[in-house]
Amino acid sequence: MATQNKMTPEEEDKLIQEAYQDLLNGYLSSNHRKKVEIIDKAFKFACEAHKGVRRRSGEPYILHPITVARIVSQEIGLGSTSICAALLHDVVEDTEYTTEDIEAMFGKKIAQIVDGLTKISGGIFGAHASAQAENFRKLLLTMSDDIRVVLIKMADRLHNMRTLQSMPPAKQYKIAGETLYIYAPLAHRLGLFAIKTELEDLSFKYEHPDDYAAIEEQIVANAPRNEEIFSRFAAPINERLKKMGLKFEFKARIKSHYSIWKKMETKHIPFSQVYDYYAARIVFECDNEADEKRICLNIYSEITDLYSMHPDRLRDWISNPKANGYRALHVTVMGPDGNWVEVQIRSRRMDDIAERGFAAHWKYKIGEGEEESELAAWLQTIEDILKNPESNAIDFLDTIKLNLFASEIVVFTPKGELITLPKDASVLDLAFHLHTELGTHCIAGKINHKLVPISHKLASGDQVEVLTSRSQQPKAEWDKFLVTAKGKTRLRAALRHDRRSIISKGEAMLKAFLQENEVEASSVNINRIISAEHLKNRDELYLMIGNNEIALSQSLVKIFKPASRGLLDRLMNPFGNRHSNSNADNEVVANEGKIDTKKVYELRTVDGKSNYRIADCCNPIPGDTVIGFVTDDNEVVVHKMDCEQATRLKSSFGGRIVQTQWETKAKKFNVTISLEGIDRQGILQEIIYLISTNLSLNMRRLNISADDGVFHCELEAMVDDTDVVTQLCKRLKKVKGVSQAVRVR
Ligand code: MN
């Protein structure tokens, strides 16, 4: 921007006047009361104070406060007090003037806000990290004093990010990192979605320029195709909504670069697999707030008339708004090209609040009172809520739902590091958050130099020191002190290392199982199981049973009862001829007494057709101990013996239970495996390779999510029986990083 250096003073004056006029025009077209005089005064004063000073880009400094004021007014929706404070926000920090001077000229309120902004200026990190953390702590704690301090700070940061180009690279990284770490989450909590998204995208652009460019390129390349798909999708909807007599806007919107990138990173997928990167949004005009929900639902019903909808992807944020105030109805439908498309349905008011945060709420209340009194009343209510979460003031959250401290708290380590935790997090949560070792050996906490137990619930602003002892051991009952997923996962992992207790648990499980099946728990018998499972010793057997890696199922017992298989062939199957002679079947079922519960019903599959149905409550597979239940429709439904549903059936309809035996491996069965472990690059590919190539299993579904380096994965595969599952889990656990692999219902 060297060209600006060459501007004549007259040209620069013109530029400044134009920027200021733009600010004023925006303000005058808002719903706020027109207090131009004081804004004029603030502008002239700031011009004078910053006279002759330039930004790094070479432009006159005053353009920065003007732009910040414009963001405050036009993008956040605040009024004259905030505009003045924004114009003056760097005066005390950068010039000779003091807060007292501001107060004398502009009154107490504006001076207070400028003072707040001066105090929190500068970075959060750097040489004075701990002092800055203290500043930030103050900022958060005084947020309820005047939220405008934070909102103006947000605008200041946004402008600095928009002009980050002129900074040297080292400074760019620092500012971008800090923005992503502190300001974007804060914007999110304040409900400033548009600003949050822009901050994230700008940070991402400076931190990962190559990735940003690659995503940009993909978006541009895909744009023509997406536009075509969208117009085909939208045309019939447009027609219907027009018939409803609605005034509305219907457009496609693309996920932000940053969220596309995050999805690619966390799910380890290429751009082409981020299938939900574009969504459609309908914003309708509606004068009466009371009608909004009904209209949303009408639109929803028109859309689902046209397109079939994804059953699991309806999100009603109207009846249950998000904590930060977001309201809308989201529905995902199958578009004409066969892709799922998310449609977000909102009123103009909901859209405003979603994009600009709670401050937009003002727009709809202005006129009833002054900005000051509105704001004061709102802040008072927030304060009440903060002090007493049970109070009836909670109802207020239904109109704004700004959940600042209610859902999250911010605490500090002794080094001044800032940690965000969910509400009700304990000392132990913090310990596990910092490090597994700290968690497992945690004996107490010290809050502001006072000793507290590990179960102690933390409060925002606490400075917490975690105390540990070498002799401390993690305990299963600690789980109830933990609210964070991270804490719970880490505790569970630590407990898993507690081999001894699992071994004795496994031993008890096996003994109980053998007793149930009338097999003596003798050394000889247990050794037979060990050799049948190809294990080394008893400990290994018990450990695997304790970790549910060896299912206690019929396949274990069959080692001891080889005769039961041979008997099968000789046993008559009561429903063997059901297809050729259905009358006989009905006769059997019509009278429960005639069902021969002594006989073993053979579960057979011929040419893909089965003479039984798998219960979907427990999904048994060959190898599981199962029972059959004859339904009114003369169908045998197979449950796992330990299925809750089966237990209920056993007690109420004992006469309809038939013993069952799997016939052959003629059919593949669906199992769900749950995996857990430490995330690392390439782990997903290894898992997939193991399942589909090494074990040649057909994989049906794969869901993976990663959180702070820990991943959870659920997959469905087609298998023959429990032996295959045991083998599969064993192999999966050998993949580096995988700590848990078990079959789930
Ligand atoms: Mn500034």
Side-chain angles (χ1 to χ4, degrees):
M1 306 209 182
T3 50
Q4 276 169 3
N5 283 329
K6 295 197 183 95
M7 275 189 169
T8 64
E10 292 73 27
E11 278 170 337
E12 277 189 358
D13 271 351
K14 198 169 159 256
L15 194 71
I16 293 165
Q17 285 303 326
E18 275 170 9
Y20 177 62
Q21 207 50 52
D22 184 36
L23 163 68
L24 268 190
N25 291 343
Y27 172 68
L28 289 170
S29 64
S30 77
N31 285 347
H32 290 279
R33 301 196 325 159
K34 316 297 180 227
K35 296 205 242 174
V36 177
E37 205 177 305
I38 190 158
I39 296 178
D40 235 13
K41 192 171 155 195
F43 166 64
K44 292 199 171 105
F45 181 72
C47 268
E48 196 51 42
H50 294 298
K51 200 177 181 72
V53 183
R54 291 177 186 280
R55 299 195 83 201
R56 183 176 276 272
S57 61
E59 62 179 20
Y61 194 87
I62 186 66
L63 287 172
H64 166 65
I66 293 174
T67 312
V68 173
R70 206 189 64 210
I71 294 169
V72 158
S73 161
Q74 293 170 24
E75 296 181 43
I76 306 183
L78 297 174
S80 61
T81 304
S82 307
I83 293 173
C84 290
L87 285 169
L88 301 167
H89 83 270
D90 279 332
V91 167
V92 175
E93 166 104 355
D94 295 342
T95 75
E96 300 289 298
Y97 293 99
T98 63
T99 311
E100 286 71 33
D101 297 330
I102 305 276
E103 183 172 342
M105 292 179 75
F106 298 95
K108 201 163 179 180
K109 194 75 241 173
I110 291 175
Q112 264 176 6
I113 298 173
V114 172
D115 186 44
L117 286 159
T118 307
K119 282 192 181 131
I120 58 169
S121 69
I124 309 291
F125 307 115
H128 303 288
S130 132
Q132 291 298 346
E134 182 60 22
N135 276 341
F136 194 67
R137 184 177 87 97
K138 277 193 200 130
L139 164 72
L140 287 173
L141 295 177
T142 55
M143 196 133 73
S144 60
D145 286 347
D146 202 322
I147 197 93
R148 287 174 293 196
V149 175
V150 182
L151 294 171
I152 296 166
K153 183 72 200 165
M154 208 56 89
D156 183 30
R157 176 52 58 124
L158 182 59
H159 186 232
N160 286 337
M161 283 300 293
R162 283 176 183 170
T163 53
L164 198 55
Q165 193 120 41
S166 52
M167 287 286 176
K171 227 163 174 186
Q172 286 180 357
Y173 283 128
K174 180 181 177 295
I175 294 175
E178 195 179 273
T179 299
L180 208 51
Y181 184 67
I182 299 276
Y183 289 92
L186 197 53
H188 179 76
R189 239 167 291 151
L190 289 164
L192 302 166
F193 292 100
I195 290 180
K196 173 211 164 203
T197 305
E198 190 177 346
L199 287 177
E200 280 177 349
D201 265 8
L202 286 166
S203 303
F204 170 49
K205 188 175 165 183
Y206 285 100
E207 286 194 331
H208 302 274
D210 296 345
D211 291 346
Y212 184 93
I215 289 174
E216 175 73 22
E217 196 180 301
Q218 292 272 13
I219 290 174
V220 170
N222 281 292
R225 196 180 140 262
N226 281 334
E227 264 163 42
E228 196 196 310
I229 292 171
F230 178 73
S231 55
R232 232 181 311 140
F233 173 71
I237 298 178
N238 273 320
E239 207 173 292
R240 291 233 184 176
L241 299 195
K242 273 184 201 137
K243 267 193 203 141
M244 281 171 71
L246 277 183
K247 255 181 87 184
F248 65 96
E249 210 179 6
F250 190 8
K251 52 187 174 189
R253 48 177 299 283
I254 297 207
K255 241 186 194 318
S256 74
H257 292 57
Y258 178 69
S259 43
I260 291 173
W261 178 74
K262 249 179 81 180
K263 192 145 203 171
M264 290 165 66
E265 287 289 298
T266 54
K267 302 216 159 170
H268 306 281
I269 52 175
F271 181 89
S272 59
Q273 280 172 34
V274 184
Y275 65 92
D276 59 346
Y277 83 91
Y278 96 84
R281 182 179 296 163
I282 296 170
V283 178
F284 62 88
E285 308 296 335
C286 171
D287 296 333
N288 189 354
E289 204 179 316
D291 290 337
E292 286 177 347
K293 183 172 179 176
R294 189 181 46 79
I295 297 175
C296 282
L297 291 170
N298 287 346
I299 296 173
Y300 158 77
S301 110
E302 292 293 338
I303 294 174
T304 48
D305 262 2
L306 287 163
Y307 299 113
S308 54
M309 117 182 209
H310 193 300
D312 306 328
R313 300 251 294 270
L314 175 66
R315 298 282 179 271
D316 179 3
W317 304 116
I318 299 175
S319 310
N320 300 299
K322 284 193 192 177
N324 52 19
Y326 184 78
R327 282 169 182 246
L329 189 66
H330 291 188
V331 57
T332 300
V333 296
M334 176 69 77
D337 62 323
N339 278 326
W340 292 113
V341 182
E342 183 183 82
V343 187
Q344 305 170 345
I345 307 168
R346 307 169 172 177
S347 70
R348 175 68 60 197
R349 190 187 64 93
M350 293 173 184
D351 188 59
D352 263 354
I353 291 173
E355 293 301 307
R356 300 201 308 190
F358 71 88
H361 180 75
W362 263 250
K363 201 174 132 184
Y364 301 92
K365 293 284 179 196
I366 292 294
E368 289 165 22
E370 209 167 320
E371 185 194 23
E372 303 298 318
S373 56
E374 275 284 320
L375 205 46
W378 182 78
L379 292 169
Q380 186 54 52
T381 319
I382 285 287
E383 244 181 87
D384 291 346
I385 294 167
L386 293 176
K387 279 184 200 141
N388 180 11
E390 271 86 46
S391 82
N392 221 9
I394 280 289
D395 290 344
F396 180 81
L397 288 184
D398 283 330
T399 45
I400 300 182
K401 274 277 168 148
L402 175 72
N403 212 343
L404 273 179
F405 294 105
S407 62
E408 282 179 19
I409 57 166
V410 179
V411 299
F412 295 84
T413 66
K415 282 181 193 152
E417 196 192 340
L418 191 84
I419 313 255
T420 307
L421 291 167
K423 185 182 169 252
D424 287 336
S426 63
V427 170
L428 194 59
D429 276 306
L430 175 67
F432 272 115
H433 178 92
L434 295 169
H435 199 279
T436 301
E437 282 294 302
L438 276 182
T440 53
H441 295 112
C442 180
I443 48 164
K446 225 180 198 178
I447 294 179
N448 311 325
H449 307 293
K450 225 183 108 215
L451 212 59
V452 294
I454 59 171
S455 58
H456 182 89
K457 286 180 180 170
L458 303 174
S460 251
D462 279 351
Q463 190 173 55
V464 194
E465 192 183 341
V466 173
L467 303 179
T468 58
S469 157
R470 273 288 113 204
S471 59
Q472 178 71 299
Q473 289 294 323
K475 295 173 183 67
E477 57 267 33
W478 283 6
D479 190 73
K480 63 174 184 283
F481 303 146
L482 295 166
V483 299
T484 57
K486 193 170 177 179
K488 283 175 183 282
T489 312
R490 288 187 163 179
L491 174 64
R492 239 182 298 138
L495 287 171
R496 261 198 303 279
H497 287 298
D498 198 357
R499 256 176 78 97
R500 209 48 252 173
S501 70
I502 296 165
I503 287 173
S504 40
K505 182 176 140 211
E507 182 175 3
M509 281 167 74
L510 178 65
K511 286 198 168 139
F513 173 78
L514 291 177
Q515 197 176 11
E516 223 172 81
N517 286 278
E518 293 165 353
V519 174
E520 197 196 339
S522 62
S523 300
V524 178
N525 282 345
I526 289 172
N527 284 339
R528 279 172 75 183
I529 302 177
I530 290 170
S531 63
E533 294 286 331
H534 310 289
L535 298 172
K536 280 191 222 94
N537 52 41
R538 282 189 187 206
D539 275 4
E540 203 180 336
L541 173 70
Y542 296 149
L543 197 62
M544 290 193 82
I545 291 173
N547 279 327
N548 296 319
E549 283 156 27
I550 292 180
L552 292 174
S553 66
Q554 212 53 48
S555 63
L556 265 189
V557 183
K558 77 186 177 211
I559 307 170
F560 307 107
K561 294 178 175 168
S564 65
R565 274 234 155 147
L567 277 175
L568 266 181
D569 303 331
R570 285 177 278 125
L571 285 166
M572 201 190 83
N573 178 351
F575 306 107
N577 300 322
R578 62 176 299 189
H579 296 296
S580 56
N581 186 355
S582 60
N583 283 341
D585 290 352
N586 288 338
E587 209 172 282
V588 171
V589 176
N591 182 345
E592 277 190 15
K594 282 193 184 173
I595 298 174
D596 192 343
T597 54
K598 298 250 162 49
K599 283 172 183 165
V600 177
Y601 180 81
E602 194 179 349
L603 305 172
R604 288 183 302 132
T605 302
V606 179
D607 296 330
K609 281 192 183 145
S610 303
N611 67 343
Y612 61 92
R613 186 159 65 80
I614 297 285
D616 46 24
C617 49
C618 53
N619 286 314
I621 63 172
D624 287 328
T625 314
V626 291
I627 55 163
F629 173 73
V630 184
T631 66
D632 284 337
D633 299 332
N634 204 9
E635 192 177 26
V636 172
V637 180
V638 185
H639 288 269
K640 271 169 97 164
M641 190 65 93
D642 55 6
C643 164
E644 269 182 44
Q645 182 70 19
T647 311
R648 229 169 293 138
L649 292 172
K650 269 185 273 182
S651 51
S652 330
F653 302 102
R656 292 191 174 203
I657 301 289
V658 288
Q659 291 184 62
T660 51
Q661 187 73 49
W662 302 99
E663 185 220 24
T664 51
K665 291 180 178 179
K667 189 176 181 271
K668 297 280 185 190
F669 295 82
N670 207 9
V671 287
T672 307
I673 306 287
S674 163
L675 287 174
E676 215 173 68
I678 308 302
D679 201 12
R680 65 174 165 83
Q681 196 129 43
I683 192 164
L684 188 63
Q685 285 88 325
E686 249 178 74
I687 290 169
I688 293 171
Y689 187 81
L690 171 71
I691 296 170
S692 43
T693 309
N694 286 355
L695 298 171
S696 306
L697 297 175
N698 182 2
M699 200 150 68
R700 297 277 294 264
R701 184 175 65 90
L702 183 75
N703 265 346
I704 188 157
S705 64
D707 184 23
D708 288 317
V710 175
F711 79 92
H712 298 267
C713 166
E714 263 205 357
L715 62 91
E716 261 176 52
M718 301 302 285
V719 301
D720 288 318
D721 56 20
T722 49
D723 290 346
V724 178
V725 178
T726 308
Q727 182 67 14
L728 171 62
C729 289
K730 224 188 266 180
R731 294 283 291 272
L732 282 170
K733 284 195 66 176
K734 291 211 176 100
V735 173
K736 194 179 141 235
V738 175
S739 59
Q740 170 90 292
V742 288
R743 175 177 164 206
V744 292
R745 192 190 62 72

